[in-house]
Amino acid sequence: MSAADINFDGLTLAERILSARVGKRVNANDLVVVDIDQVMVVDSIAPSVIRIVEDELGGEIKHPSRVSVVIDHVAPASNVEVATTQKHLREYSKAHGLRLFDVGRGICHQVLIEERLAHPGWIVLGSDSHSTTYGAVCAFGTGMGATDIALATASGKTWLRVPETVRVRLTGTRPPGVTAKDVALTIISELTADGATYMSIEYQLEHDDWSLSERMTLANLAVEAGAKVGLVPPNEAIRKAYDVPEWLEVDTTATYTHDITINLSELSPVLAAPYFVDNVHPIQTYAGTPVDVVFVGTCTNGRLDDLHIVADILRGQHVAEDTRLLVIPASSKVLEDAVADGTFGTLLAAGATFSTPGCGPCMGRHMGVLAPGEVCVSTSNRNFIGRMGSPEAKIFLASPATAAASALHGHISLAEEVAA
Amino acid sequence: MSVPITSNNVSSNNVPSNRVRVWRFGDSVNTDDMLPGKYAPFMVGEDKFHTYAFAHLRPEFAKTVQPGDVLVGGRNWGLGSSREYAPQALKTLGVGAIIAKSFARIHYRNLLNLGVPAFTSAELPDVLTDGEQISFDITTGELLRADGSKHQLPPPPAFLQEALQEGSILKYYQKYKRFPGEAAE
Ligand code: SF4
């Protein structure tokens, strides 16, 4: 049966994508085996995946052209062991015809979107939990463990339970200073950290002027509510940029497990305080807390528009004396664009320091890990104990605007345009 | 590979014949509880890591657990890192099944890929007590307590039953070069 013969009425976006793929109508909780359009493997998980593929699955790779390997989590390598693993990974990728994105190209999710390796209606698996990011273009993007990824690499397929769906309705328009990150954190505080476990989050935006970058921030954080996927329905801009299948649209008569509605015009900037992403508070609750490090980057908020927000706040000023500002562009493309349009210079002049595009200290392996007692305001997505280094450090997750204002003042601050 | 509990272990007069022990845990048991990171296989050896299962939370567990024993947890069983050696340790120790109010997603997949049957029940985790003897049929989901009371859990879908007969989804794929429920090429 082709997609044209399927009755999609009353199905959620997740059900539609999986129905189209298996060629018949499927509903939440059905089990399906599906072909995969793209498998993404990162440097730190790749060795286990290769071991399972080689030792347990006969070394077969079904569609090498559908496998992307990204060296981003520890890039460049931090020690001889890591360097050796990465050397092997390069050789393996070359020998098997896998697409390799080497040190400096950027963070896996950012790179896959830039390289157009995720399309509306596709199924994309990643060895990294934030693979929900591909929902930004309405691809069924989800993270899995090493055995799943190895099976997917070997067979070109995976098994999935069709997820139930939580509908998140965003009404009204955002006040100035309320960024996609503030909205995403507010959603997590409403849903809680396991409020959408196994489920698809379907975002329904009343005024959809959200950019691709903002959609990525939203979908990226879906996993912090436990979700399997976070699907943002295509808007005009996405329809222009990609071929969107006609069945890929919201059906408001679909069955949603639950529903939340957030009126954006009532929101204000928020942060997630240690040690949980759903520990969300207004900035004012922690205003004045001294900050040692401000980290701007990651797959959540390391894109050009994020750097623009930071540069606009810091332009002509300087980071506070006792505070370090570390900026890591999400990709080489972001870095190139930031150099070309002057953002890079503005940030350097304001006292920022830069590192190689990649994950940086986001998961505490290298490039700016935190010391005991240090406080960090980060634009990333996890603030668990020890995530960025010492278990005695504290991480506050916030928007690029809050990060910039906090760097400027040396303590947690609301950006001026909002405070005024 | 055989599954530790067979479908014939409930005799007709309601007396559990093939009894296994219940190990009861609370909410949010994470993969660090299951196997602390410092006991990862590459740290302590592929042949020993499972002897550290629940080393901090329940130090007696790995020494006394018997093949077929059932672990019972509350909400969000298996949250935390996607490390596969945590469920692998339970598998190696012969854990027969896990019953929890809910499972963290990636961990749930890991359990099934490795072949540890996972059952969801909203009420049963509050009813079962630590150390009690039960009989549990993993193919039908029928659970019998020593007092003769019977509980029915939703049985695993046919897809998973097929896989569990081979030991796990990975083993199934190794044998048939396809996933359970998928038509042969
Ligand atoms: S930037 Fe952080 S969250 Fe994103 S993929 Fe890298 S380590 Fe994971």
Side-chain angles (χ1 to χ4, degrees), chain A residues 40 42 72-73 107-109 128-130 133 220 224 295 297-300 358-364 380-382 387:
Chain A
M40 187 282 292
V42 302
D72 60 346
H73 276 59
I107 303 165
C108 51
H109 310 306
D128 180 277
S129 58
H130 292 98
T133 309
N220 177 274
E224 302 306 331
F295 172 39
T298 80
C299 54
T300 312
C359 299
C362 176
M363 80 300 43
S380 58
N381 49 42
R382 282 187 180 148
R387 168 82 181 178

Side-chain angles (χ1 to χ4, degrees), chain B residues 117-185:
Chain B
F119 292 82
T120 308
S121 165
E123 308 83 31
L124 216 47
D126 291 331
V127 174
L128 297 172
T129 55
D130 191 57
E132 78 168 272
Q133 299 288 315
I134 57 166
S135 167
F136 184 41
D137 186 331
I138 59 162
T139 55
T140 63
E142 193 176 72
L143 187 149
L144 206 56
R145 301 181 70 195
D147 64 5
S149 64
K150 210 185 245 181
H151 299 264
Q152 183 63 46
L153 285 135
F159 169 93
L160 292 174
Q161 291 199 24
E162 245 188 279
L164 291 171
Q165 270 161 22
E166 297 302 331
S168 68
I169 291 177
L170 182 64
K171 290 262 180 316
Y172 188 98
Y173 185 85
Q174 283 173 336
K175 183 159 171 189
Y176 297 106
K177 293 287 174 240
R178 60 181 168 85
F179 289 91
E182 190 190 1
E185 275 179 18

Side-chain angles (χ1 to χ4, degrees), chain A residues 242-329:
Chain A
Y242 296 89
D243 259 341
V244 178
E246 44 152 284
W247 45 262
L248 192 58
E249 56 181 16
V250 167
D251 184 338
T252 49
T253 67
T255 309
Y256 301 103
T257 308
H258 60 275
D259 233 316
I260 62 169
T261 303
I262 292 174
N263 182 349
L264 298 180
S265 57
E266 290 168 2
L267 300 192
S268 53
V270 290
L271 52 69
Y275 296 98
F276 297 99
V277 186
D278 59 357
N279 186 18
V280 175
H281 300 273
I283 305 296
Q284 289 85 343
T285 311
Y286 288 92
T289 307
V291 173
D292 301 287
V293 181
V294 171
F295 172 39
V296 175
T298 80
C299 54
T300 312
N301 280 123
R303 284 174 282 278
L304 190 64
D305 57 327
D306 300 313
L307 303 196
H308 284 166
I309 292 172
V310 178
D312 286 345
I313 291 170
L314 293 180
R315 184 165 291 111
Q317 307 194 71
H318 201 279
V319 169
E321 200 177 316
D322 293 325
T323 305
R324 291 146 9 232
L325 171 59
L326 173 60
V327 180
I328 304 188

Side-chain angles (χ1 to χ4, degrees), chain A residues 338-377:
Chain A
V339 170
D341 73 5
T343 305
F344 187 81
T346 304
L347 291 172
L348 277 185
T353 186
F354 280 80
S355 284
T356 309
C359 299
C362 176
M363 80 300 43
R365 299 239 173 98
H366 70 336
M367 274 190 188
V369 299
L370 303 175
E374 283 193 325
V375 172
C376 175
V377 172

Side-chain angles (χ1 to χ4, degrees), chain B:
Chain B
M1 179 166 298
S2 71
V3 177
I5 309 174
T6 70
S7 58
N8 305 321
N9 60 2
V10 181
S11 59
S12 52
N13 59 357
N14 271 0
V15 178
S17 53
N18 191 0
R19 291 183 185 196
V20 293
R21 185 201 150 142
V22 166
W23 294 81
R24 198 171 173 291
F25 295 83
D27 285 339
S28 304
V29 170
N30 66 49
T31 48
D32 265 291
D33 296 326
M34 256 172 243
L35 197 76
K38 63 177 168 185
Y39 301 125
F42 65 89
M43 307 280 286
V44 299
E46 290 284 347
D47 54 336
K48 277 193 217 69
F49 73 98
H50 59 278
T51 63
Y52 296 97
F54 294 110
H56 298 159
L57 200 63
R58 301 198 65 169
E60 81 287 9
F61 176 81
K63 277 178 231 100
T64 35
V65 67
Q66 294 297 316
D69 281 2
V70 171
L71 312 193
V72 176
R75 275 180 58 179
N76 214 9
W77 174 279
L79 81 159
S81 99
S82 63
R83 66 177 64 145
E84 264 177 357
Y85 49 80
Q88 182 61 56
L90 305 185
K91 170 85 183 170
T92 307
L93 289 167
V95 167
I98 300 173
I99 302 171
K101 290 184 186 171
S102 64
F103 289 86
R105 191 183 70 80
I106 293 178
H107 179 72
Y108 181 78
R109 294 189 68 96
N110 289 343
L111 288 172
L112 302 177
N113 282 329
L114 295 173
V116 183
F119 292 82
T120 308
S121 165
E123 308 83 31
L124 216 47
D126 291 331
V127 174
L128 297 172
T129 55
D130 191 57
E132 78 168 272
Q133 299 288 315
I134 57 166
S135 167
F136 184 41
D137 186 331
I138 59 162
T139 55
T140 63
E142 193 176 72
L143 187 149
L144 206 56
R145 301 181 70 195
D147 64 5
S149 64
K150 210 185 245 181
H151 299 264
Q152 183 63 46
L153 285 135
F159 169 93
L160 292 174
Q161 291 199 24
E162 245 188 279
L164 291 171
Q165 270 161 22
E166 297 302 331
S168 68
I169 291 177
L170 182 64
K171 290 262 180 316
Y172 188 98
Y173 185 85
Q174 283 173 336
K175 183 159 171 189
Y176 297 106
K177 293 287 174 240
R178 60 181 168 85
F179 289 91
E182 190 190 1
E185 275 179 18

